[in-house]
Amino acid sequence: MRTPVPGPGAFVAWAPEARTAAVRGADGTTLEVLRALGSGPRGLVEEEAEERLARHGENTFPGRRPDSWPRRFARSPRDPFTVVLLVLGLVSAAVAAWGTACVIAVLVLVSCVLRTTGEHRADRSAAALRDLLATTATVRRRATATAPPLTRELPVDQLVPGDVVLLAPGDVVPADLRLLRTTALTVHEATLTGESAPVEKSVAADGPGDGGSPALPLGHPHLCFQGSSVVSGSGSGVVVATGADTVLSGALPRAGGRPRPPSPFDRSVNGIAWTLIRFTLLTAPLVLIASALLRGRGLETLPFAVAVAVGLTPEMLPVVVTAALARGAALLARGGEVIVRRLPALHDLGAVDVLCVDKTGTLTEDRPVLALCEGPDGRADPEVLRWAAVNALWTLHLSELPVPDALDEAILDAAEESGPDGGRFEEFEGIDALPCGPGRRLSTAVVRPPGDPRFALATRHTLVVKGAPEDVLDRCARAAGTELDAAGRERLARRAGELAAEGLRVLAVARATCPARSRPYTPADERDLDFVGFVALSDAPAPTAAEALAVLARHGVDVKVLTGDHPGTAARVCRELGLAPGEVVTGERTDALDDAELARLAARTTVFARCAPEHKARVVRALRAAGHTTGFLGDGVNDLAATVAADVGICPRDGVDVVRETADVVLASKDLTALDRAIVAGRRSTGNIAAYLRIALSSNVGNVIAMLVAGLLLPFLPMLPAQVLVQNLCFDAAQLALAFDRPGPGAHLRPALLRPRALLRFVTGFGLLNAVADLATFGVLALALRSMGEAEGQSAFHAGWFTENLLTQALVMLLLRSGRHAAEGRVPGPIRLATAALAVVGLLLPLSPLGPPLSMTPLPPLYYGLLALVLVVYGLLLAAARARQPSPSGV
C-alpha cells in the first residue's frame, strides 16, 4: 500500500530551533547519531538519565503558565467600563460624596472577583484535562553499565535525549525519535501535517541522506515526531529532542509575531464605553452650567452633577457581564463538555457566523470505511470484497503483525457486516503471507480453499494479492476470464484514477491459482494474476457531524472546511454530510490572490483543500476582514496559526498541547454538537447582557433628560444626591437578576453581537419615552402637591419622583428584558422577585422610618391614583413601541 507523499499542506512553518534539532537527529548514520547522543540500543544507565534530566529539564510542553489568582485579579479592572467607574469614584471621593464612592468601589470589587474566579476556574479545568491526557512511555534502561537492559513504563516528562523508546500500536510518540528498528511501522501525523493517511516509517540506510529535507523535517521517514501516533506495526527509537527542542514545540508562536487582533467582545464593549463616556463628559458640565446660568447655583450642585453622571453610567455592567458569562461557562463545564478559558470568548462564540473546521477527526472519525467494491466491468461485485478480506485476514495472522492497518481493518469489518457472501472469507486456510514493506506497496496471502485436510497435498493454493492499483495491474494477465492487453490495463488504471479523484483510497485485488508446495513463496510468484476488481475506502464521517452541520446552518453559522487533504477527499466527505462543497479551492490558488480578492473568494467558498498552516490563517483573516465573526476548530500544529487568527480559537481536549494552550475554548471531544450547544449558550449570555444594556441605558437616559429639564424648571434640585444614590443602588441590585434571564425561543437562531449603533438607536427612542413618563409625573406631582408648603412640597416631590422611578424601572425590566415578545413568555423567578422587590421599595421607602433621613415624606392618596394612570399609559406605549421595534440581533 502506498506511502502518502506530503502535499502542499503537509508542512508547518517551523521555528529555526526545532528545524535544527530535527535535522540533528536526521543527519548521519544510526551509529553516528547514537554516538553523538552517548547512547546505544540497550538504553541509558539510570544514573546518566537522571543527570541528563537535570541538565535538559523535563520533557514538557513549554506553554504559557496560567496566571495566579492575585495577578489575574490585579489585571481585571482594565476594561473601559470599570475604568469609567473608577474615575467617577475618584471624583465622588474628591467632592466628599463618600456614599457614591463606596458603592462604586463595591461594584468594581464584585465584578473583578467574579471575573477572576471564573477564568481561574477555567484554567484549573483545562489543567485537569491535561492531567487526563498524561501518558507514559515504554523505555529501555539499565540499572548499571554492566546490567542487562530492562523495559519499563516511565512518565513522559522524565524522558531525556538518548533514551530508547519502544513503540506499539496506539502509542503516542512521546518525543522526537530517530528510529532504530521497525516492523511494518505506520504513524499518523495528522496533528502535524493535516494528512489523514498514515505514513510508513523505516530505519535509515547507512548514509547521511535519505531524501529528507533540512527545511522540511517531516520529510524524513526514519524520524518520528512528538504528537504523532502509531497506527500499526512496532519499532524502537532513540530520543533526539525533548521539551522545547521538539518540532512540536518549535511551532509555538514566538515573541514579536503577529499580535492577536481585538475580539468582537472587546470591540463592542469599547464602542459602547466610549459612547457613554462622551455622554457623561457632556452631561455633568451641562448640569453645572445650566444651574449656574438659570438658577444662580454654584459648586453646591457639583455632588448632584456627579450623581447624574453616575446615574447615566450602567454601573452594574461589569458585574452583569461577568455574571452572565460565568453562569453560561459554568453550565457548559458542568457536563464536562466545554471549558471556556476566557470568559469574553463565550460572547464571541455567540457572535460567530462563520465556523472554520479541519476535516480530519472533526467531520470524520479519522478511520477509513468501505465505500464500494466493483469488478472489472465497473459493476458492484461482493466477490471483490470477499477476496480482499481473505488477503487482509491472513496477511495479519501469518505476518505476525500486532494489529491490521486501518485499511485492512475497514475491509474486515465490511466483510463481516456484508452477510453470508462476505463472511465466507474465514473458510480459507492460510498457508503463507508476503506483507507490505518499505518500497513494497502490495501484500499477498497464500491460502488453501475449504476442503478435506486429508487431501492437502493434492490441493492447489491460491495467491490473493491486494495493493496499489498500478503495482497490482502490472502483475495481472487476465480480467473477467479474458486476456488483459495494454488497452484493458489502461482502462482499469484510468478507472482507479477516477475513483482516487473522488477522494477515495483505491486498492486493486487479484488472485492466481498454483499447485500446492511446501517451499516458501516469494514476490517472484506474484505474476500471471487474474484481476478481481477494486475496493475503495473513504474517511468515516463522524456519527453526529451531519446532524450538527444541519443545526449550525439553522442557527445561522456558515461552516467552511480548511484541510490539508486532497480536494476530492474533502469534497466527498462534505457531500456525504449534506454540506454542498461547491468549487474546491486549493492553497496554491489562494497564493495567487491578494487579501481583498481572497476575502471575496472565501465568502462564497465552502472547502479549501491542500492548505498549509498559513493558508488556513489567511482564509480566517480574510473572513474577519470581510466583517464576519469567525471561529476555528482545530487540533494539530498545522492549525495553530488559524487558531490564533480567529475571533474564537477552539480545540478538543485531545489536541496537541500547543494548540490547546492557545485556544479560547476547549471541547471534551471533537463533537460539533457540543460546539453548537456552546454557541447557543454564548448567544443566550449575550442576549442577557444586551437586555441589561437596553433596560439600564433607556432608564438612565430618560432619567437624566428629566433631571436636566426639572433642574431648569424647578427652584430646587429635583432629586438630592443621596436619593439618586439610593435609587441607583436599588435598580442596580434588581438588574443583577437579568444575568439569570431566559431569552426568547428565537434568540439563539442568529448570531448575537453587541452593536453600539443599534443600541444607541434603541436607547434614544425608549429613553425619550421614559423621559416623557417622568415629565408626566411632574405634572401629576404638581397637581397632587399644590396644597402643601414649600419645604413639605419639596420632600413630597422627591418622594413622588423616587417612587415613580423605581416603578417605571420595574415595568421596563418586565417589558424590555429580552427578545421582541419577551413579555409574552413566562418570566423567570429571579426577575419576578427583583421587580417585585423594586416596586415594594419604591412604594414603602418614603413611608418607612428611612424616609425622613432621605428628605422624603408620605404622599397624598391622590398621587397614587394619578400615578397608576401614568404607569398604565406608559406601559401600553412601551409595549406598543417594543412590538414595532425590530428584534435586535444581540444589540
Side-chain angles (χ1 to χ4, degrees):
M1 280 161 276
R2 184 174 54 183
T3 301
V5 177
F11 69 89
V12 175
W14 309 110
E17 304 92 298
R19 184 161 56 242
T20 301
V23 174
R24 185 169 62 245
D27 287 345
T29 66
T30 301
L31 183 59
E32 289 171 345
V33 172
L34 288 173
R35 284 177 176 173
L37 293 169
S39 182
R42 301 193 328 143
L44 294 174
V45 177
E46 290 286 356
E47 183 178 356
E48 173 65 18
E50 292 177 4
E51 293 177 0
R52 295 189 183 193
L53 182 62
R55 185 165 66 250
H56 294 278
E58 293 186 343
N59 179 36
T60 56
F61 169 70
R64 61 182 178 90
R65 180 173 297 176
D67 291 332
S68 63
W69 198 96
R71 184 174 181 181
R72 192 183 293 275
F73 178 79
R75 288 169 36 189
S76 59
R78 294 190 301 178
D79 67 88
F81 276 115
T82 304
V83 172
V84 170
L85 286 179
L86 288 175
V87 171
L88 290 175
L90 293 175
V91 173
S92 300
V95 299
W98 299 110
T100 303
C102 290
V103 170
I104 289 176
V106 170
L107 291 176
V108 171
L109 179 65
V110 170
S111 172
C112 292
V113 168
L114 284 174
R115 184 178 312 160
T116 302
T117 302
E119 294 185 355
H120 187 66
R121 184 183 297 116
D123 272 345
R124 285 191 303 173
S125 299
L129 287 181
R130 287 195 295 271
D131 293 340
L132 288 176
L133 296 172
T135 57
T136 60
T138 305
V139 180
R140 184 182 295 154
R141 282 186 180 177
R142 294 171 289 159
T144 64
T146 58
L150 297 177
T151 300
R152 66 187 183 93
E153 293 294 314
L154 193 71
V156 167
D157 58 9
Q158 300 300 302
L159 290 180
V160 296
D163 264 327
V164 174
V165 176
L166 307 184
L167 300 176
D171 286 350
V172 175
V173 178
D176 289 353
L177 307 178
R178 168 69 178 254
L179 292 173
L180 304 176
R181 178 192 61 80
T182 62
T183 302
L185 181 65
T186 61
V187 174
H188 201 292
E189 293 182 340
T191 57
L192 299 168
T193 67
E195 293 284 351
S196 58
V199 178
E200 291 181 3
K201 295 292 182 177
S202 60
V203 178
D206 288 335
D210 65 342
S213 167
L216 185 60
L218 294 177
H220 294 283
H222 58 278
L223 292 180
C224 281
F225 300 96
Q226 184 185 43
S228 54
S229 58
V230 179
V231 177
S232 64
S234 61
S236 64
V238 61
V239 175
V240 296
T242 60
D245 293 329
T246 62
V247 166
L248 182 61
S249 297
L252 191 65
R254 304 294 171 182
R258 184 190 297 269
R260 188 163 188 171
S263 69
F265 180 83
D266 296 331
R267 295 195 298 270
S268 299
V269 169
N270 288 341
I272 296 170
W274 282 111
T275 300
L276 291 178
I277 288 172
R278 294 186 187 98
F279 271 119
T280 302
L281 293 177
L282 177 65
T283 302
L286 186 61
V287 171
L288 291 174
I289 293 172
S291 297
L293 293 179
L294 298 179
R295 291 298 175 183
R297 304 185 187 117
L299 291 179
E300 67 271 14
T301 60
L302 183 58
F304 176 72
V306 172
V308 170
V310 172
L312 181 62
T313 305
E315 304 95 328
M316 288 296 289
L317 180 61
V319 179
V320 170
V321 167
T322 306
L325 295 178
R327 180 171 181 265
L331 291 175
L332 290 172
R334 187 175 299 169
E337 294 181 342
V338 182
I339 293 175
V340 180
R341 303 191 61 196
R342 182 177 61 86
L343 283 184
L346 187 59
H347 162 271
D348 298 342
L349 266 180
V352 164
D353 60 344
V354 174
L355 176 65
C356 300
V357 301
D358 189 17
K359 177 190 72 68
T360 305
T362 303
L363 300 180
T364 64
E365 284 193 312
D366 204 11
R367 67 177 180 87
V369 293
L370 184 72
L372 61 87
C373 50
E374 62 178 38
D377 57 358
R379 298 180 181 178
D381 186 353
E383 279 295 298
V384 181
L385 176 59
R386 180 192 179 206
W387 288 112
V390 170
N391 172 280
L393 177 66
W394 290 109
T395 299
L396 164 66
H397 286 324
L398 298 179
S399 299
E400 297 182 354
L401 298 177
V403 294
D405 71 10
L407 300 181
D408 283 345
E409 198 169 35
I411 289 172
L412 291 173
D413 289 342
E416 291 175 355
E417 295 171 1
S418 64
D421 291 339
R424 289 187 293 126
F425 71 91
E426 295 179 341
E427 299 175 355
F428 291 86
E429 180 183 354
I431 303 299
D432 198 0
L434 302 174
C436 295
R440 176 177 164 82
R441 302 190 300 170
L442 52 80
S443 63
T444 297
V446 183
V447 297
R448 181 165 49 213
D452 191 340
R454 292 176 299 174
F455 302 100
L457 294 178
T459 60
R460 300 175 66 83
H461 290 170
T462 300
L463 281 73
V464 186
V465 182
K466 170 174 61 66
E470 53 268 37
D471 291 3
V472 174
L473 288 173
D474 286 344
R475 293 164 171 79
C476 289
R478 290 168 299 280
T482 61
E483 293 296 322
L484 187 62
D485 56 13
R489 190 173 286 106
E490 183 181 353
R491 177 181 60 82
L492 292 173
R494 188 166 55 250
R495 175 55 180 165
E498 292 172 354
L499 294 175
E502 294 178 8
L504 298 174
R505 300 178 198 172
V506 185
L507 299 173
V509 182
R511 62 188 173 93
T513 303
C514 64
R517 66 182 186 218
S518 58
R519 66 177 177 84
Y521 286 84
T522 68
D525 296 312
E526 298 167 337
R527 58 185 174 82
D528 199 27
L529 305 177
D530 289 320
F531 178 74
V532 176
F534 294 119
V535 291
L537 301 101
S538 63
D539 289 338
T544 60
E547 177 187 357
L549 289 175
V551 173
L552 287 170
R554 289 198 298 270
H555 289 172
V557 178
D558 188 15
V559 176
K560 298 186 182 295
V561 181
L562 280 58
T563 178
D565 254 348
H566 188 279
T569 303
R572 183 181 184 89
V573 169
C574 290
R575 285 193 295 269
E576 290 177 352
L577 295 175
L579 184 66
E583 180 188 5
V584 179
V585 175
T586 62
E588 183 179 358
R589 181 179 173 187
T590 63
D591 287 334
L593 303 176
D594 60 28
D595 292 341
E597 292 171 334
L598 181 58
R600 291 191 292 271
L601 178 66
R604 63 177 186 269
T605 301
T606 300
V607 180
F608 291 84
R610 288 298 190 200
C611 286
E614 184 55 30
H615 294 143
K616 296 182 180 183
R618 276 200 70 202
V619 171
V620 170
R621 287 194 294 268
L623 290 168
R624 294 191 64 184
H628 296 286
T629 303
T630 307
F632 184 85
L633 172 60
D635 65 340
V637 177
N638 60 321
D639 299 322
L640 179 60
T643 302
V644 175
D647 290 306
V648 187
I650 310 162
C651 178
R653 78 174 185 186
D654 56 353
V656 297
D657 288 347
V658 65
V659 182
R660 195 171 61 247
E661 290 293 333
T662 306
D664 303 305
V665 177
V666 179
L667 304 180
S669 65
K670 292 183 180 179
D671 186 356
L672 287 178
T673 305
L675 181 57
D676 175 71
R677 287 192 287 270
I679 290 175
V680 170
R683 292 179 179 181
R684 288 175 174 169
S685 297
T686 301
N688 290 344
I689 296 170
Y692 165 76
L693 285 170
R694 289 195 300 268
I695 292 168
L697 294 180
S698 298
S699 298
N700 291 355
V701 168
N703 287 339
V704 167
I705 293 173
M707 283 184 183
L708 291 175
V709 173
L712 299 178
L713 297 178
L714 297 176
F716 54 88
L717 291 177
M719 190 173 287
L720 301 179
Q723 296 166 351
V724 174
L725 177 62
V726 172
Q727 173 186 283
N728 287 344
L729 276 175
C730 294
F731 195 28
D732 289 342
Q735 286 173 325
L736 187 58
L738 292 172
F740 302 90
D741 193 10
R742 293 191 299 270
H748 63 278
L749 295 180
R750 57 193 180 278
L753 185 65
L754 299 174
R755 305 181 189 275
R757 291 186 179 179
L759 179 65
L760 182 61
R761 290 194 298 269
F762 188 99
V763 167
T764 300
F766 285 90
L768 291 174
L769 186 59
N770 189 41
V772 169
D774 287 341
L775 294 176
T777 303
F778 293 165
V780 169
L781 287 169
L783 180 63
L785 306 179
R786 58 186 175 180
S787 60
M788 291 187 177
E790 181 178 349
E792 186 181 6
Q794 288 185 20
S795 298
F797 185 93
H798 293 155
W801 197 14
F802 179 89
T803 298
E804 184 265 349
N805 270 335
L806 292 189
L807 291 177
T808 54
Q809 286 172 348
L811 196 59
V812 166
M813 281 187 65
L814 289 175
L815 295 180
L816 299 187
R817 63 184 179 89
S818 181
R820 182 173 179 177
H821 302 292
E824 301 173 7
R826 184 172 180 270
V827 181
I831 292 183
R832 291 202 307 271
L833 181 62
T835 53
L838 205 59
V840 169
V841 171
L843 291 171
L844 298 184
L845 185 62
L847 305 177
S848 71
L850 295 177
L854 292 174
S855 301
M856 290 188 290
T857 60
L859 293 158
L862 176 62
Y863 168 74
Y864 293 104
L866 295 175
L867 178 62
L869 179 61
V870 170
L871 291 176
V872 170
V873 173
Y874 176 61
L876 292 174
L877 292 175
L878 197 65
R882 187 69 184 95
R884 297 173 63 88
Q885 178 78 17
S887 184
S889 104
V891 184

